[in-house]
Amino acid sequence: MADARDPLRYFRIEARELVDQISAAVLDLDQEPGPDLIARLLRYAHTLKGAARVVKQTDIADRAHEFEDVLVPHRGEAVTRMPADEMRELLRLNDEIARHVVELEQPAPAAAAADAPQVEGAPPGLHADDEEPAPRAATADLDELLDAIGEASARIAPLRDGSRTLARLHRGVEALGDRLRVGRSAGDTVARSAVQRLAGEMGALGRRLTDAVDQVERELDEVRGRAEGLRLVAAGTIFTALHRAVHDAAEAEGKRVRFAAHGADTRMGPNVLNQVNGAFLHVVRNAVVHGIEPEADRLAAGKPAEGSVTVDVERRGRWVYFRCTDDGSGFDLSALRRVAKARGLLPPGREPGPQELIDLVLHGGISTSGAVTEVAGRGIGMDVARDVALQLGGAVNITNRPGQGATVEISLPLTLLSMNGLIVEAGGTIVTMPLDAIRRCVRLPAADAATAIASRRLAHDGQVVPFLPLARTLSPREPAAEERTGSAVAVVLTADDDTVAVGVDRLAGTTTLVARPLPDLAPAAPVIGGVAIDLDGNPRLVLDAHGLVAEAHRALAVSPSRSSRARNAARSWSSTTR
């Protein structure tokens, strides 16, 4: 068994979690000290110390004990700010603990580990060639789990075939009963009764079998989706390293800087997150060194003495956006122009605009720092962000606000996207819609459906929203369900603070899935965001909320609403909603 071959397997998992929690809490302690946070840190350190002693990892246990010694004098106190020397000691001990934990995960000789390139700004022991910033499950374990789910699905397939066979036998027994009804003898009467009882029992058994198979398939689909989602990593796993980079840069520059981060639950592939982590370490350091002003300058400008650096991670459809915003002075355009001229980077005879000067920063080799230090002066940093974006098929955008700060945004396409979805059917096609964008599902009577189709609008929650018949969008020649049956379901969704209603035939449940982009050779409509694989191994389209909103507005603009029929329908709709 794996556990017998690797007795430290579960300790490493627990220690890694505790080190992550301690690292984040220590940095929070520097910004918002308090008795509750100190008590939490003591619990983390004590738990780690006890677990380490059980598996005879004395180095980790001793460092955790020293960590406790620093915090115990402050237990129960209303600390306004931890002394700087004690903060440095806590960070030093935390780094040593992290290094020991990493060494347990990488049993290679210490000399080889020392030669490996370090990730700049990351805790000691984390190397540039690590596959993930914070792995949560071994790939082999996930593969075994997914294989087991596939085998279970294969074993269910005969049950599904058996239920169909049972239904066929049931029909045969009923047909036999019909033929026996013409008999006249007492024996025929007894046979008819037996056949009727058998038909009833077979029918009930078939229904129970079908319901059981459906339930198991739904649960396996849910498990498979969640297992595939484990391959993805939450964006929050890089926030602690970014926070540490901001703290260290601020301390080196003698500045006070507050760090904040949002979007920790956004999940993506570890390769994307690992590369963005390396690029954003440079971005947040640049924000502190070049953006945040010294305390005296900030006070003179009417700003708080403490600067701020905020990291936001946001997913929009198949794209993820990483933003770093600071409230400093913004880019020094005069200094950029002076350095660019000195290096011959400006075209002769033409004065570059502000954005052109800022874009030069992305090409590297330009630094407005007066001296080379550990954190600035070499003109390296923003070009790393550009290279990562280009490598991953994305882009970098810089927004400058002179005197108020700057925002650096990296936008990247997602190759894997974990999401919860609503399964719907429209025009005979089953697709999945992103559940986090859906606000409500409304059943439309025949009259309301006809009005919505004619006017391309729907009254919802006191406002008029565009209405998009999904069947027509997926297959323009396919009549919408409302036109065939007279009824429909309106799925109300929101994206970019814009709300629309999408008309579908029926709702078919919810699911957890991992969406993948369509191949380049298979171009799709803007409403399609990707494709997922269902339990039977068949592809299922995944719609994009932003694309649906844009398509609803486009369809509204080109709809035949100028015709008298549409105008009459709109007047009828208006009179009924007053």
Side-chain angles (χ1 to χ4, degrees):
M1 294 177 59
D3 296 346
R5 295 193 302 267
D6 186 5
L8 297 178
R9 178 183 185 187
Y10 294 108
F11 170 74
R12 283 199 302 270
I13 295 173
E14 182 183 15
R16 193 165 58 226
E17 295 284 350
L18 288 169
V19 166
D20 289 347
Q21 292 168 336
I22 291 173
S23 300
V26 168
L27 294 169
D28 289 340
L29 185 65
D30 189 42
Q31 294 189 170
E32 298 179 358
D36 292 341
L37 189 53
I38 290 176
R40 193 191 319 158
L41 273 169
L42 284 170
R43 287 196 300 271
Y44 293 155
H46 193 73
T47 301
L48 180 59
K49 181 177 69 174
R53 293 210 186 281
V54 168
V55 294
K56 296 179 175 54
Q57 297 298 313
T58 56
D59 288 336
I60 295 177
D62 291 345
R63 299 302 176 273
H65 185 75
E66 294 177 35
F67 193 94
E68 291 177 317
D69 288 342
V70 177
L71 291 173
V72 166
H74 301 288
R75 182 167 50 187
E77 295 181 357
V79 182
T80 56
R81 192 171 185 86
M82 289 286 292
D85 58 337
E86 293 187 359
M87 278 299 305
R88 283 192 288 270
E89 179 65 8
L90 289 175
L91 289 170
R92 184 189 68 81
L93 291 170
N94 179 67
D95 289 345
E96 289 193 15
I97 293 172
R99 178 171 56 81
H100 286 302
V101 172
V102 170
E103 288 174 354
L104 292 178
E105 296 175 347
Q106 300 174 348
D115 293 337
Q118 291 279 337
V119 176
E120 187 177 358
L126 182 62
H127 302 292
D129 57 353
D130 287 345
E131 182 179 356
E132 298 182 20
R136 287 294 178 267
T139 302
D141 292 342
L142 286 176
D143 290 340
E144 290 178 4
L145 176 59
L146 291 171
D147 288 344
I149 295 173
E151 291 178 5
S153 302
R155 293 179 184 277
I156 287 178
L159 293 177
R160 174 66 70 184
D161 294 338
S163 64
R164 297 191 186 99
T165 302
L166 186 59
R168 186 172 64 254
L169 293 174
H170 180 219
R171 291 191 298 270
V173 170
E174 287 183 332
L176 177 60
D178 291 338
R179 289 195 296 269
L180 288 174
R181 288 193 185 98
V182 301
R184 301 296 185 182
S185 65
D188 291 338
T189 302
V190 174
R192 283 197 303 272
S193 299
V195 168
Q196 290 172 357
R197 286 196 303 272
L198 179 59
E201 292 174 358
M202 292 180 68
L205 177 60
R207 288 189 295 272
R208 289 197 300 271
L209 180 59
T210 300
D211 292 343
V213 171
D214 289 342
Q215 178 66 23
V216 172
E217 285 183 337
R218 284 194 298 268
E219 292 179 356
L220 275 177
D221 188 41
E222 181 81 8
V223 173
R224 181 189 53 79
R226 293 187 181 277
E228 287 189 342
L230 290 174
R231 292 182 178 274
L232 306 181
V233 183
T237 57
I238 70 172
F239 287 170
T240 300
L242 297 178
H243 192 173
R244 179 64 182 273
V246 168
H247 174 274
D248 292 347
E251 188 174 65
E253 295 289 308
K255 300 175 181 179
R256 292 171 53 195
V257 182
R258 177 176 294 271
F259 177 84
H262 310 285
D265 294 333
T266 305
R267 300 179 68 86
M268 64 201 72
N271 179 56
V272 171
L273 196 59
N274 195 34
Q275 295 193 60
V276 171
N277 178 47
F280 247 56
L281 287 171
H282 293 285
V283 172
V284 297
R285 270 195 297 267
N286 282 345
V288 174
V289 176
H290 300 290
I292 303 298
E293 313 95 326
E295 185 172 332
D297 294 348
R298 292 183 63 85
L299 293 174
K303 294 183 178 181
E306 186 178 56
S308 71
V309 173
T310 303
V311 172
D312 294 280
V313 182
E314 179 187 11
R315 177 181 65 83
R316 294 185 181 180
R318 282 192 52 247
W319 288 79
V320 62
Y321 297 83
F322 293 83
R323 284 186 294 273
C324 174
T325 303
D326 67 76
D327 68 344
S329 59
F331 284 85
D332 188 343
L333 298 182
S334 298
L336 285 175
R337 185 179 291 106
R338 184 174 60 253
V339 174
K341 284 183 177 179
R343 294 181 176 273
L345 300 176
L346 297 180
R350 185 173 64 85
E351 188 68 19
Q355 191 60 45
E356 187 177 354
L357 284 172
I358 293 173
D359 290 342
L360 289 175
V361 177
L362 297 174
H363 293 80
I366 295 182
S367 176
T368 58
S369 179
V372 176
T373 67
E374 292 184 359
V375 292
R378 299 188 183 276
I380 300 172
M382 300 304 297
D383 58 328
V384 176
R386 182 203 62 177
D387 292 344
V388 167
L390 292 177
Q391 181 180 351
L392 297 176
V396 180
N397 181 58
I398 299 177
T399 303
N400 188 41
R401 301 179 301 278
Q404 299 179 1
T407 298
V408 178
E409 180 183 78
I410 299 179
S411 56
L412 301 171
L414 290 174
T415 55
L416 292 177
L417 174 62
S418 176
M419 61 184 293
N420 294 321
L422 175 67
I423 304 172
V424 302
E425 183 176 351
T429 302
I430 296 179
V431 298
T432 302
M433 302 175 68
L435 195 59
D436 58 355
I438 295 173
R439 299 294 171 262
R440 185 175 299 175
C441 297
V442 182
R443 181 166 294 281
L444 299 179
D448 293 348
T451 301
I453 283 291
S455 65
R456 286 292 197 273
R457 296 175 176 87
L458 180 70
H460 168 69
D461 201 17
Q463 62 177 332
V464 180
V465 299
F467 181 83
L468 178 68
L470 186 58
R472 286 184 176 178
T473 303
L474 297 176
S475 180
R477 297 181 179 179
E478 179 71 22
E482 311 87 84
E483 298 172 310
R484 299 194 308 269
T485 66
S487 64
V489 178
V491 180
V492 181
L493 58 86
T494 300
D496 291 332
D497 298 325
D498 200 351
T499 301
V500 302
V502 180
V504 303
D505 296 14
R506 67 181 184 93
L507 309 180
T510 60
T511 184
T512 300
L513 57 92
V514 172
R516 297 166 174 81
L518 288 171
D520 294 336
L521 297 178
V527 300
I528 298 174
V531 63
I533 306 300
D534 65 16
L535 195 61
D536 296 328
N538 300 317
R540 179 187 297 161
L541 293 178
V542 179
L543 304 185
D544 176 52
H546 302 274
L548 288 169
V549 169
E551 180 64 19
H553 284 286
R554 189 199 66 78
L556 178 62
V558 301
S559 66
S561 57
R562 298 179 181 84
S563 66
S564 59
R565 177 172 175 263
R567 285 196 296 270
N568 291 336
R571 292 194 193 99
S572 172
W573 167 81
S574 299
S575 63
T576 59
T577 55
R578 288 193 180 99

